[in-house]
């Protein structure tokens, strides 16, 4: 008889956690309420959507949305540049490797976390109320969005830098700030550029929907046509957006390969 | 002292990149008519709005309206993630180039890319006439978008597995199914589970937003309060959302940490 090693019994966490997860899933689906009868009845409405969706009005879309599409790109460019520029110094304060004061570290870190919890469209709603409807609100909203992502990514990168160069700089008599500037910053600069391009792509995608709450860009056109269920006008706009997004992504992939 | 210079073509590249950034920023700012006085006025305007939110509306009537909506967002995000997880799991095996048969994986990958290209919000308002105003629309939108993203991430995990266990199962006479259940799934499960949780965190933010088009969740509440200029109540909505997202993030991050890094042994 071979003595098989005994399989370790699952931990209490797994024993409770997995049934709890399944229960919670069932509960969520019940809360959402799926009524098959209603669904079947409403399925006859699908022609309301699908017919116009597959009969795009290209000429209309090109004529009316090209300006707004440019506006969308401009919002994304400006917001990602400013957001990342603001995030660069902030993430050095929000990293334990470069901020020696643990209280200010905590303050900066929690600030970045707080900004990150608010979804991009919520920022857009807040800023449209605060500074008025238009692309400026969109820029501010995406600025917070890119600030939060860059802050998180970059501060975690700074956490894991090689401490050697900083020590070397300090050994030659540099102050803490000087050593950060000359040794920590050059180490993370390539990552910063790569993250910047990634955030720029995210911003392009996010800026499309900003217009739904009045924060400028092509979403403004989508919103007005959506209310009248003019899916024949929306679908070409969506295709146009996809083309632009794919082109910009290709450009950014090419640039990233060139830099890194 | 002779400090070596960067090679010329690198310097040209660097300067042209910098000028590209500067020029595009100026082009954008002028195109959007963002003037200096608007920028200078913005902080004061934002401060006014935030000031109007305090003191928060803490009446029980407000909470009776807001709390169910906040939880609705949570349910949408969770149910959407479950849909995404269930459907993306088998699909990701077909999309991985080391598991699938023939060139099925290329087709599936393109389909997943196509799904991923549509933001949840656009999916939501396309579904709206069929599934009606309410959380069902939001769940479907979040779920379908999640199939795209989770399918891509999971298939990349499967492509990165160690082939050794598969070979040893084959050598001991295991079938293709045995290879999957004993060779692939135990290797990829921790990473894929942590991706599911990570997706849940993202979906929570997405589902909070979906209410803007009437697809259920807390977004509807926020946009209504802001439209009716009921700022104290809008503030309450915001705070409730922040608390929910922070709590869910913290729990989910802790579980992800435990799954990936294993039990921390106290020494």
């Amino acid at each position: 008889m071979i003595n098989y090693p005994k399989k370790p019994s699952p931990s209490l966490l797994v024993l409770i956690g997995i049934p709890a997860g399944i229960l919670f899933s069932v509960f969520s689906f019940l809360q959402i309420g799926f009524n098959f009868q209603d669904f079947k009845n409403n399925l006859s409405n699908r022609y309301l959507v699908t017919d116009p969706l597959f009969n795009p009005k290209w000429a209309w879309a090109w004529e009316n949305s090209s300006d707004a599409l440019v506006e969308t790109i401009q919002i994304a460019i400006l917001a990602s540049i400013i957001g990342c520029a603001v995030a660069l110094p902030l993430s050095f304060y929000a990293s334990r490797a470069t901020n020696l004061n643990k209280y200010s570290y905590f303050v900066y870190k929690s600030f970045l976390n707080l900004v990150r919890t608010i979804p991009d469209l919520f920022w857009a709603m807040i800023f449209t109320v605060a500074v008025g409807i238009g692309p400026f609100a969109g820029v501010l909203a995406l600025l917070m969005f890119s600030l939060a992502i860059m802050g998180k990514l970059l501060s975690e990168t700074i956490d894991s830098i090689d401490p050697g160069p900083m020590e070397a700089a300090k050994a030659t008599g540099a102050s803490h700030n000087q050593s950060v500037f000359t040794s920590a910053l050059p180490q993370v600069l390539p990552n910063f550029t790569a993250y910047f391009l990634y955030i720029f792509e995210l911003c392009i995608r996010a800026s499309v929907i900003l217009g739904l709450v009045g924060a400028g860009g092509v979403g403004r056109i989508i919103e007005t046509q959506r209310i009248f269920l003019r899916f024949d006008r929306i679908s070409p706009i969506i295709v146009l957006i996809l083309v632009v997004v794919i082109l910009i992504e290709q450009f950014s992939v090419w640039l990233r390969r060139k830099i890194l | 002292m002779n400090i070596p210079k960067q090679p010329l073509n690198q310097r040209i590249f660097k300067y042209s990149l910098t000028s590209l950034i500067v020029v595009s920023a100026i082009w954008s700012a002028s195109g959007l008519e963002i003037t200096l006085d608007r920028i200078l006025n913005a902080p004061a305007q934002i401060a006014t709005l935030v000031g109007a939110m305090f003191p928060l509306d803490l009446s029980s009537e407000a909470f009776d309206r807001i709390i169910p909506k906040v939880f609705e967002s949570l349910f949408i995000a969770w149910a959407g993630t479950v849909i995404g997880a269930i459907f993306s799991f088998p699909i990701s095996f077909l999309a991985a180039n080391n598991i699938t048969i023939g060139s099925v994986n290329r087709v599936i990958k393109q389909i997943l890319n196509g799904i991923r290209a549509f933001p949840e919000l656009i999916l939501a308002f396309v579904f709206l006439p069929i599934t009606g105003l309410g959380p069902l629309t939001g769940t479907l939108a979040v779920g379908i978008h999640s199939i795209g993203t989770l399918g891509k991430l999971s298939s990349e995990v499967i492509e990165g597995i160690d082939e050794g266990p598969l070979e040893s199962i084959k050598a001991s006479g295991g079938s293709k199914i045995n290879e999957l259940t004993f060779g692939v799934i135990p290797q990829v499960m921790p990473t894929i589970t942590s991706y599911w949780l990570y997706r849940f965190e993202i979906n929570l933010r997405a589902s909070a937003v979906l209410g803007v088009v009437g697809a259920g969740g807390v977004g509807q509440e926020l946009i209504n309060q802001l439209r009716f200029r009921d700022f104290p109540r809008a503030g309450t909505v915001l705070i409730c959302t922040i608390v929910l997202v922070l709590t869910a993030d913290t729990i989910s991050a802790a579980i992800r940490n435990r799954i990936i890094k294993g039990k921390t042994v106290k020494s």
Side-chain angles (χ1 to χ4, degrees):
Chain A
M1 186 70 197
I2 315 165
N3 243 338
Y4 289 110
K6 217 176 139 198
K7 196 180 177 186
S9 61
S11 69
L12 200 67
L13 204 73
V14 174
L15 280 178
I16 299 171
I18 288 178
I22 293 172
L23 269 181
F24 187 59
S25 312
V26 174
F27 183 66
S28 311
F29 277 107
L30 287 178
Q31 285 293 312
I32 282 150
F34 180 75
N35 186 333
F36 192 73
Q37 199 57 46
D38 283 358
F39 185 73
K40 222 169 81 182
N41 292 342
N42 289 333
L43 210 58
S44 57
N45 286 351
R46 69 179 181 278
Y47 301 109
L48 206 68
V49 183
T50 49
D51 279 353
L53 204 60
F54 296 113
N55 289 308
K57 298 256 189 301
W58 288 100
W60 186 91
W62 184 250
E63 214 169 278
N64 290 280
S65 70
S66 48
D67 286 352
L69 209 54
V70 172
E71 195 178 278
T72 292
I73 297 170
Q74 287 174 328
I75 291 174
I77 290 176
L78 204 58
S80 52
I81 289 175
I82 300 175
C84 292
V86 175
L88 183 61
L90 277 187
S91 27
F92 280 93
Y93 283 110
S95 164
R96 218 166 253 163
T98 47
N99 192 349
L100 303 176
N101 184 334
K102 70 177 175 206
Y103 297 108
S104 83
Y105 159 79
F106 181 74
V107 170
Y108 282 104
K109 192 93 190 168
S110 354
F111 169 72
L112 285 178
N113 278 337
L114 187 70
V115 174
R116 217 160 51 84
T117 49
I118 302 180
D120 45 357
L121 221 57
F122 276 25
W123 282 119
M125 287 187 226
I126 295 168
F127 286 129
T128 41
V129 175
V131 303
I133 283 173
F136 185 48
V139 172
L140 290 179
L142 282 190
L143 197 155
M144 300 309 265
F145 174 71
S146 46
L147 169 72
I149 301 175
M150 180 56 103
K152 181 180 164 57
L153 289 176
L154 194 62
S155 65
E156 280 173 3
T157 312
I158 298 171
D159 277 338
S160 62
I161 56 166
D162 177 12
M166 271 180 80
E167 273 170 32
K170 273 182 192 158
T172 60
S175 70
H176 177 70
N177 286 340
Q178 281 170 334
S179 77
V180 168
F181 198 74
T182 54
S183 331
L185 182 65
Q187 278 192 58
V188 296
L189 224 42
N191 299 72
F192 176 73
T193 330
Y195 295 153
F196 167 71
L197 289 172
Y198 167 67
I199 286 169
F200 176 56
E201 286 167 29
L202 287 183
C203 277
I204 291 270
R205 281 168 186 274
S207 64
V208 169
I209 53 170
L210 285 176
L212 266 71
V213 294
V218 73
R220 184 187 50 177
I221 315 270
I222 294 180
E223 173 68 3
T224 46
Q225 301 307 321
R226 173 184 86 79
I227 294 169
F228 298 112
L229 296 177
R230 290 299 300 260
F231 288 107
D232 52 338
R233 291 177 171 180
I234 293 177
S235 65
I237 299 180
I238 293 175
V239 174
L240 273 181
I241 292 168
L242 287 185
V243 171
V244 170
V245 167
I246 289 168
L247 282 179
I248 286 175
E249 275 185 9
Q250 292 304 319
F251 172 69
S252 126
V253 166
W254 171 80
L255 203 60
R256 202 174 326 183
R257 206 169 292 153
K258 195 101 181 167
I259 290 168
L260 294 178
Chain B
M1 204 167 63
N2 243 335
I3 299 169
K5 267 188 173 173
Q6 257 185 328
L8 185 65
N9 58 347
Q10 271 187 29
R11 266 182 297 158
I12 291 174
F13 183 69
K14 207 168 84 182
Y15 290 132
S16 53
L17 200 63
T18 318
S19 46
L20 176 72
I21 290 174
V22 172
V23 167
S24 58
I26 293 170
W27 171 68
S28 308
S30 61
L32 300 173
E33 288 167 2
I34 292 172
T35 50
L36 196 63
D37 63 304
R38 284 196 78 179
I39 297 170
L40 292 178
N41 281 334
Q45 288 169 324
I46 294 160
T48 316
L49 175 66
V50 174
M53 285 181 183
F54 289 96
L56 297 170
D57 184 356
L58 297 175
S59 64
S60 64
E61 192 221 335
F63 279 115
D64 285 346
R65 276 181 67 99
I66 294 166
I67 297 295
K69 286 283 171 195
V70 172
F71 276 101
E72 196 173 83
S73 282
L74 179 69
F75 296 139
I76 292 174
W78 185 264
T81 313
V82 171
I83 292 177
I86 289 174
F87 286 96
S88 72
F89 191 62
I91 291 174
S92 60
F93 283 92
L94 292 175
N97 59 12
N98 50 352
I99 302 295
T100 186
I101 320 116
S103 53
V104 182
N105 71 319
R106 294 221 189 92
V107 181
I108 304 242
K109 268 202 180 132
Q110 285 313 317
I111 295 174
L112 290 177
N113 277 341
I115 296 174
R116 238 156 17 90
F118 296 100
E120 287 100 343
L121 219 56
I122 288 181
L123 289 176
F125 70 63
V126 171
F127 293 151
L128 211 55
I130 299 167
T131 49
L133 291 166
L136 179 61
T137 311
T139 311
L140 281 181
V142 167
I144 288 178
H145 190 79
S146 301
I147 294 175
T149 48
L150 285 177
K152 177 181 190 276
L153 290 174
S154 312
S155 69
E156 278 168 4
V157 174
I158 295 171
E159 280 170 7
I161 57 164
D162 178 11
E163 304 271 341
L166 297 189
E167 270 175 41
S168 54
I169 289 168
K170 219 180 277 174
S172 59
S175 67
K176 190 89 183 166
I177 301 292
N178 291 147
E179 274 177 50
L180 287 185
T181 47
F182 298 111
V184 182
I185 291 181
Q187 277 192 63
V188 297
M189 218 49 219
T191 322
I192 290 184
T193 325
S194 79
Y195 279 148
W196 288 348
L197 286 169
Y198 174 63
R199 192 65 220 172
F200 167 66
E201 292 169 33
I202 298 174
N203 283 347
L204 192 56
R205 291 174 172 80
S207 71
V209 158
L210 282 173
V212 173
V213 295
V218 72
Q220 183 80 59
E221 204 57 31
L222 182 64
I223 202 166
N224 282 347
Q225 305 309 341
L226 286 175
R227 272 184 190 150
F228 294 132
R229 297 288 183 267
D230 190 347
F231 295 128
R233 194 167 282 188
T236 317
V237 176
L238 267 182
I239 299 286
C240 287
T241 315
I242 291 173
V243 169
L244 173 79
V245 175
L246 269 184
T247 320
D249 269 14
T250 316
I251 295 173
S252 156
I255 299 175
R256 277 195 291 140
N257 232 344
R258 172 69 182 74
I259 291 173
I260 293 299
K261 288 184 183 156
K263 196 182 269 176
T264 42
V265 182
K266 287 192 189 89
S267 53

